[in-house]
């Protein structure tokens, strides 16, 4: 039985944003562009996230070795907060749940 191969279909930009005092914009402290498999989240995932107070709209599966605690992600020029990370179908991959903002 063969496993489904993950196809990394899009380049995404991972960001680490550090909060600033007052009304200043967060400071970007790290940036990396990587390939990922980006897709919309399913209904079950969306409702589970809503119950946890999150509003996730996308998921991205990428190489685990390329993820180093980033806080945000840009997909097609839109910035998302990394709401949650978790296991993917392969132990070499990580799944990011993304919410706008």
């Amino acid at each position: 039985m063969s496993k489904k191969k993950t196809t990394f279909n899009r380049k995404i930009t991972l960001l680490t944003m550090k909060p600033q005092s007052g009304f200043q914009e967060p400071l970007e402290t790290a940036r990396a562009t990587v390939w990922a498999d980006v897709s919309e989240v399913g209904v079950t995932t969306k409702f589970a996230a809503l119950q946890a107070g999150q509003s996730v709209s996308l998921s991205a599966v990428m190489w685990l070795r390329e993820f180093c605690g980033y806080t945000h992600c840009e997909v097609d020029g839109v910035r998302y907060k990394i709401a949650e990370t978790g296991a993917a179908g392969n132990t070499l991959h990580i799944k990011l749940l993304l919410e706008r903002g």
Side-chain angles (χ1 to χ4, degrees):
M1 183 172 178
S2 65
K3 289 186 174 183
K4 181 184 169 203
K5 186 176 178 180
T6 300
T7 304
F8 294 147
N9 59 5
R10 214 179 279 184
K11 281 188 178 182
I12 63 173
T13 302
L14 299 168
L15 306 164
T16 299
M17 305 299 289
K18 182 180 177 187
Q20 299 295 300
S21 62
F23 294 103
Q24 295 178 338
E25 287 288 317
L27 178 66
E28 181 182 314
T29 60
R31 173 181 286 256
T33 301
V34 299
W35 283 96
D37 178 20
V38 179
S39 61
E40 291 188 20
V41 294
V43 173
T44 303
T45 302
K46 190 175 282 253
F47 284 125
L50 282 172
Q51 287 179 331
Q54 301 167 333
S55 179
V56 298
S57 53
L58 292 178
S59 72
V61 176
M62 57 175 282
W63 291 109
L64 176 61
R65 70 176 182 265
E66 295 180 325
F67 186 79
C68 298
Y70 293 98
T71 60
H72 291 75
C73 177
E74 286 182 0
V75 179
D76 298 332
V78 178
R79 183 171 292 172
Y80 295 86
K81 179 181 178 198
I82 299 173
E84 194 172 318
T85 62
N90 179 327
T91 58
L92 299 175
H93 298 152
I94 188 170
K95 183 176 189 177
L96 313 176
L97 293 179
L98 309 174
E99 65 180 343
R100 293 281 300 253

